[in-house]
Amino acid sequence: MPESRQHQSVPFAISLDPGSSLANKTGSWRTEVPKYVDRMPPCNHACPAGENIQQWLSSAEEAGYEAAWRQIMADNPFPAVMGRVCYRPCETACNRAVLDEAVGINSVERFLGDEAIAQNWSIESAVAPTGKRVLVVGAGPSGLSAAYHLRLLGHEVTVRDSAKAAGGMMRYGIPRYRLPRDVVDAEIQRIVDLGVRLELGTAVTELAGPLDEFDAVFLAVGAHIGRRAEIPAGDSARILDAVSLLSGLEEGERPLLGRRVAVYGGGNTAMDVARTARRLGATDAVVIYRRTEDRMPAHPIEVTEALEEGVRMRWLSTITAADAGRITIEKMRLDATGFPQPTGEFEELDTDTVVLALGQSSDLTLLAGVPGVTVTDGVVEVGANLMTGRPGLFAGGDMVPDERTVTVAVGHGKKAARNIDAWLRGTSFERPPRHAPATFDRLNTWYFSDAPATVRPRLESARRITTFDEVTGGLDESTALFEARRCMSCGNCLECDNCFGVCPDNAVIKLGDGRYEIDLDFCKGCGLCAAECPSGAIEMFPERS
Amino acid sequence: MGQQRIRFYQTGSFVVGNRLLDPDQRSVQSDTRRTNSLNSGHRACRGCGEALGARYVLDAVMRATGHQMVAVNATGCLEVFSTPYPETSWQIPWLHSLFGNAPAVATGVASALRAKGRRDVRVVGQGGDGGTVDIGLACLSGMFERNDDVLYICYDNGGYMNTGVQRSGATPHGAATTTTPAVGPDPGNSFGQGKSLPLIAMAHRIPYVATATVADLRDLEYKATRAMEFRGARYLHVLVPCPLGWRTGPHETIRVARLATETGMFPVFEAVDGEVVGVTKIRRRLPVTEYLRPQGRFAHLFGETPRSDIIGKLQAEADRTVRTFGLVDPEEVS
């Protein structure tokens, strides 16, 4: 083109073609580069069952209840049970508690679990059958969880339990007012429908046979024997143990407790028995515990509910003698190390029945003669993969050293299933590395609305102590949705578009479906996106030279 | 009638968007089809509040006018960093004249459009606080007085930042600039000087006056959109922190703007026909030190001998602003 023609295309008095600033790649100014990250939210980190809580809350926020429920089911086959009996370490860890109150994760889980039962949602295994056979001994939360996961992994699973009904401590240890039995039945039935074979009323007394017959065995026999204490007692003194009382009640027995019941112990079972005693007509239920309230192993919620129901507490006390109609109590004091010491001060208390709730131990007679298995302090020693010293024999739940809760047991079941599966395939299970924690200081909490926690309805105490009706009610859809939406999505993108909006250089590309990308041609590395991300899901890294 | 806040728990109205919101309730900035009036590749500093504010406002005006808008720009940072010859970052019809006459040029553009019978095309004038509060004030006042059909936007970063951080009529009291250095018994910008252009604009009884910051996007978009519902002279005053002049980190721009409102140093309100009709209440009131401390231009107040007397006077100014505009509910006033 001749030079004169070129100049004709340029406006008057302009000697260069006008151009867009896009030619100026300002990304070269950058010394730091933002990156989207995923961090470990404290709820997920604290969950003994390893649930991906934040992920299912995120689905629930969009009213995707079935997707949320399926996300829970990937880790835990008992959402409706969990939503009632879990002591919610997730909520204790929740970052929102620093801002106002923890997200009611447990109540949302219960809503999802109940919704699944109401809608009859079911689970199917998508894995081809492996032909491997696994025996699970014990149909409690740990055994059933293991059976469920093993079945999902394609194995043939048989669960044997000596009891007439499945559920273990969920049925025989936790009173109905905390966990209605139709909920337990529904969630167990779903596991049976998945193809797990349940053999009830079948006690496993030795393991040589099963270990030959099956490719692997998982033991989860629980801890159903109440510990005794040496209390000098007269012939006519009435002393029961808590686990027998609770399981007998489940089998239809109506124990004669009398009007004045003393419960010896300070754990959750002690609260369960004292509250049960009130419901069975005891006008005076007293919990006698050696230490102070703050040292009680019982969960604060249970202590509070017991107090509301008129249960009395005698802290710093031990029972030194029991006789017909009365017990002798010695006052204790805590020494410098917090250990209770006797004071020599005694007191008498009118009591019809003493119930011992001093902990439980496992019946391990079935392990007799199995080589390689070590039992220490009444619990079975297992490796990190939950395998005992006998190859192919695994154990979990209350019979191995750990905290004794339903959620921990369910977590053991999942962990055992993964390790058994790996063992059956001749490999080993490696837990994927965890993301770095999403701590509170990483959040930009300005962006979260003020929203107090939703309180679950509870039965009034007058009705509580006369029936075994469920004490705590559930949330309805609107309140469950509200509660789910209080989640701050710690350490993971919640798709708020802040990064896309606050970049002064239009250098964030929104790809949709919650995905974003930084346009490094134009990102100057100012860090506004990272600073204004509510969830702390963007981090600045030094630019590589 | 103020903006209706979206009661939406989790992130409320504070974030740019929310996946849970209906698309018609989302902000302009969360829309992938936003105009990007001021496009990538501009030469503004890292974390520039003015670049952010200009895109926020003009994208909202573009949506409100159905993309029928002409912008007239005063000289200043915004013009210098966006249009180095022969490139432009503007994706809208854009006109630059001089430092002092942007309101007059905008008036002329509005008159020309009226002469051509184009009532659909709307005119926006814009400049920094230097070009607006000081140099262009005469023709801006004239524009207000004649009630010309122009929305004038002032991006207030409290100084002549482009030419080397000199003091303007909008520089806060006590702030150090290159012309008000932190020396002597009364360091920084003198008390008793400076002006509030929103109040001056209101005194002209023009149809609409509003203030906003880059820290509250939804409020800013609401005000830019609302301004286009009026005909006649309108004025929008947007606080846009300047990392260079305020000596803050580039990532702190939005946080500092938020602190300006939460401490009462910058009132966010709107006025119709010279009367205040809505204020954005302070959400969590903070002492002014929270706003001053992160900024290098106030560092001399927190040195070895802290100037609690100057901080006290700034706090008294903030308290007066909070009272004047009713920025906290009566029971919360300390």
Side-chain angles (χ1 to χ4, degrees):
Chain A
M1 191 188 292
E3 207 175 311
S4 57
R5 288 275 309 278
Q6 268 185 22
H7 283 180
Q8 278 175 2
S9 64
V10 175
F12 170 72
I14 302 283
S15 56
L16 286 172
D17 279 321
S20 159
S21 64
L22 291 173
N24 182 25
K25 301 268 195 323
T26 48
S28 58
W29 303 11
R30 193 173 52 235
T31 58
E32 283 186 306
V33 61
K35 281 199 180 109
Y36 292 94
V37 295
D38 289 309
R39 285 191 161 241
M40 173 59 76
C43 50
N44 292 14
H45 186 67
C47 180
E51 289 183 20
N52 192 346
I53 294 166
Q54 187 177 80
Q55 184 62 50
W56 61 254
L57 279 175
S58 173
S59 296
E61 284 162 28
E62 295 172 2
Y65 302 130
E66 186 167 348
W69 177 77
R70 289 193 183 280
Q71 180 67 51
I72 301 176
M73 291 296 284
D75 298 298
N76 187 337
F78 295 109
V81 171
M82 285 303 128
R84 290 170 167 84
V85 304
C86 182
Y87 290 118
R88 51 248 221 197
C90 52
E91 294 184 22
T92 308
C94 179
N95 276 335
R96 179 119 203 173
V98 183
L99 196 62
D100 43 34
E101 292 161 278
V103 175
I105 299 167
N106 186 254
S107 46
V108 180
E109 184 169 25
R110 171 171 167 168
F111 170 78
L112 295 170
D114 287 355
E115 190 72 4
I117 293 171
Q119 307 286 344
N120 222 359
W121 292 330
S122 62
I123 292 284
E124 281 168 21
S125 172
V127 176
T130 58
K132 299 282 187 186
R133 300 181 65 221
V134 183
L135 175 69
V136 173
V137 183
S142 189
L144 289 172
S145 163
Y148 166 80
H149 287 287
L150 285 164
R151 183 73 200 128
L152 284 180
L153 291 164
H155 305 298
E156 212 174 290
V157 190
T158 304
V159 182
R160 286 185 189 148
D161 197 297
S162 57
K164 278 184 261 174
M169 278 296 182
M170 296 190 288
R171 185 182 301 276
Y172 294 102
I174 299 175
R176 284 166 187 263
Y177 60 83
R178 280 177 59 204
L179 181 57
R181 297 307 184 240
D182 54 345
V183 172
V184 180
D185 292 340
E187 298 212 310
I188 293 175
Q189 187 57 45
R190 195 186 292 131
I191 297 172
V192 172
D193 292 343
L194 181 65
V196 169
R197 187 181 160 82
L198 215 49
E199 294 177 359
L200 297 170
T202 313
V204 177
T205 51
E206 59 88 33
L207 292 170
L211 281 167
D212 285 341
E213 195 187 337
F214 291 88
D215 297 301
V217 174
F218 177 56
L219 299 178
V221 299
H224 293 264
I225 306 171
R227 277 201 201 119
R228 309 290 296 193
E230 290 296 321
I231 300 174
D235 293 340
S236 50
R238 188 166 160 72
I239 300 180
L240 304 173
D241 86 85
V243 265
S244 313
L245 187 147
L246 291 171
S247 66
L249 197 67
E250 190 57 30
E251 307 243 279
E253 291 169 16
R254 186 114 183 140
L256 295 168
L257 292 174
R259 287 194 305 111
R260 295 160 304 184
V261 178
V263 180
Y264 195 23
N268 289 317
T269 309
M271 299 302 130
D272 285 345
V273 168
R275 296 174 66 185
T276 298
R278 288 285 285 148
R279 285 166 172 78
L280 292 173
T283 49
D284 190 19
V286 190
V287 171
I288 294 159
Y289 180 57
R290 294 193 304 161
R291 300 177 205 229
T292 47
E293 180 178 13
D294 55 317
R295 288 169 188 270
M296 275 178 120
H299 195 278
I301 290 178
E302 284 221 60
V303 179
T304 308
E305 291 191 352
L307 288 168
E308 285 168 1
E309 289 166 16
V311 171
R312 290 195 298 134
M313 306 282 170
R314 295 281 306 236
W315 291 293
L316 289 171
S317 306
T318 54
I319 302 179
T320 51
D323 225 322
R326 85 182 20 217
I327 55 173
T328 308
I329 289 173
E330 181 171 10
K331 285 187 183 162
M332 307 297 277
R333 60 171 181 82
L334 295 185
D335 63 17
T337 60
F339 197 80
Q341 299 291 350
T343 58
E345 284 179 61
F346 295 91
E347 199 184 328
E348 294 207 325
L349 199 68
D350 288 339
T351 304
D352 297 317
T353 308
V354 177
V355 185
L356 304 178
L358 300 163
Q360 292 103 263
S361 44
S362 302
D363 180 356
L364 301 177
T365 50
L366 82 172
L367 283 169
V370 181
V373 178
T374 319
V375 176
T376 309
D377 296 333
V379 284
V380 180
E381 284 189 17
V382 286
N385 60 353
L386 293 182
M387 190 154 76
T388 64
R390 161 71 166 84
L393 182 63
F394 296 76
D398 286 356
M399 64 187 288
V400 303
D402 204 338
E403 210 184 325
R404 287 176 169 176
T405 70
V406 177
T407 321
V408 167
V410 167
H412 281 187
K414 180 176 89 168
K415 187 176 168 188
R418 289 183 175 172
N419 283 295
I420 291 168
D421 177 68
W423 190 79
L424 290 174
R425 293 173 198 273
T427 58
S428 66
F429 173 71
E430 300 293 335
R431 199 170 80 162
R434 294 202 155 195
H435 296 299
T439 47
F440 184 79
D441 58 300
R442 307 186 55 81
L443 306 174
N444 190 334
T445 55
W446 169 262
Y447 289 105
F448 298 105
S449 292
D450 306 318
T454 318
V455 179
R456 286 191 265 198
R458 290 201 297 172
L459 214 58
E460 54 184 304
S461 60
R463 259 178 65 76
R464 280 199 224 167
I465 55 172
T466 51
T467 69
F468 277 84
D469 289 352
E470 189 166 18
V471 169
T472 307
L475 300 181
D476 61 25
E477 184 177 339
S478 66
T479 46
L481 196 62
F482 176 92
E483 204 49 38
R485 287 179 175 182
R486 293 181 63 240
C487 172
M488 304 194 291
S489 192
C490 309
N492 295 282
C493 176
L494 55 68
E495 212 182 330
C496 72
D497 287 344
N498 252 17
C499 51
F500 180 65
V502 303
C503 175
D505 294 285
N506 305 334
V508 177
I509 303 165
K510 189 171 157 185
L511 301 168
D513 295 329
R515 289 176 310 122
Y516 303 85
E517 202 175 272
I518 309 286
D519 185 347
L520 295 176
D521 279 352
F522 297 108
C523 168
K524 291 175 187 160
C526 68
L528 270 175
C529 53
E532 299 304 320
C533 174
S535 304
I538 306 178
E539 277 178 61
M540 301 301 292
F541 294 92
E543 181 81 39
R544 279 197 313 173
S545 53
Chain B
M1 184 56 202
Q3 181 203 10
Q4 186 68 43
R5 291 263 165 189
I6 300 170
R7 292 300 287 173
F8 195 80
Y9 290 107
Q10 187 183 64
T11 50
S13 304
F14 306 110
V15 289
V16 168
N18 194 311
R19 72 185 202 280
L20 306 169
L21 274 184
D22 288 336
D24 61 343
Q25 281 190 300
R26 292 183 189 171
S27 68
V28 178
Q29 287 302 316
S30 72
D31 189 345
T32 50
R33 294 161 302 165
R34 70 188 188 203
T35 309
N36 279 337
S37 307
L38 181 64
N39 209 359
S40 309
H42 60 70
R43 269 83 158 164
C45 305
R46 297 155 75 217
C48 175
E50 192 171 38
L52 196 57
R55 190 186 78 221
Y56 281 178
V57 174
L58 296 182
D59 282 4
V61 173
M62 283 293 273
R63 181 153 95 173
T65 59
H67 299 85
Q68 298 298 304
M69 184 249 280
V70 178
V72 175
N73 212 132
T75 301
C77 270
L78 187 60
E79 169 263 324
V80 169
F81 75 63
S82 64
T83 50
Y85 177 73
E87 281 172 16
T88 179
S89 309
W90 297 102
Q91 306 221 80
I92 51 172
W94 184 88
L95 189 67
H96 168 235
S97 180
L98 298 176
F99 208 162
N101 68 354
V105 174
T107 295
V109 173
S111 300
L113 287 166
R114 195 177 63 222
K116 296 185 78 169
R118 295 293 303 270
R119 276 182 65 82
D120 56 326
V121 181
R122 309 298 302 273
V123 181
V124 168
Q126 56 179 357
D129 54 293
T132 306
V133 174
D134 296 342
I135 299 174
L137 183 57
C139 51
L140 184 62
S141 177
M143 185 198 108
F144 288 161
E145 193 192 349
R146 294 186 301 272
N147 200 25
D148 294 319
D149 188 20
V150 173
L151 167 64
Y152 191 90
I153 304 142
C154 171
Y155 302 106
D156 175 7
N157 56 19
Y160 291 86
M161 300 313 188
N162 174 50
T163 49
V165 192
Q166 290 91 356
R167 176 203 175 276
S168 83
T171 300
H173 297 149
T177 66
T178 51
T179 45
T180 58
V183 292
D186 293 309
N189 191 28
S190 309
F191 278 78
Q193 294 185 355
K195 41 201 154 178
S196 164
L197 201 39
L199 293 180
I200 294 171
M202 281 167 64
H204 288 76
R205 295 274 187 262
I206 57 173
Y208 189 71
V209 173
T211 66
T213 79
V214 287
D216 193 343
L217 172 74
R218 285 189 174 274
D219 179 69
L220 180 53
E221 289 189 350
Y222 157 76
K223 282 166 180 164
T225 306
R226 176 112 167 94
M228 300 320 287
E229 292 171 8
F230 294 88
R231 291 277 172 176
R234 290 144 287 146
Y235 180 73
L236 182 58
H237 191 96
V238 187
L239 185 72
V240 290
C242 168
L244 178 79
W246 295 21
R247 288 189 267 152
T248 50
H251 63 284
E252 292 180 298
T253 302
I254 291 176
R255 187 172 75 94
V256 177
R258 186 184 301 135
L259 290 169
T261 59
E262 294 299 286
T263 53
M265 293 290 277
F266 185 85
V268 178
F269 64 94
E270 59 179 336
V272 172
D273 298 328
E275 191 182 347
V276 175
V277 294
V279 298
T280 301
K281 300 268 183 194
I282 291 174
R283 188 168 170 222
R284 293 179 190 138
R285 191 167 181 200
L286 296 167
V288 291
T289 47
E290 296 289 312
Y291 172 65
L292 305 174
R293 205 187 295 272
Q295 301 182 45
R297 62 177 176 162
F298 293 110
H300 56 280
L301 305 181
F302 301 95
E304 273 179 29
T305 46
R307 293 301 302 266
S308 53
D309 53 333
I310 298 179
I311 295 169
K313 280 160 82 177
L314 288 166
Q315 183 65 58
E317 276 184 13
D319 292 346
R320 188 167 57 240
T321 304
V322 168
R323 277 197 309 276
T324 306
F325 291 95
L327 296 177
V328 295
D329 289 324
E331 63 268 25
E332 290 171 29
V333 177
S334 51

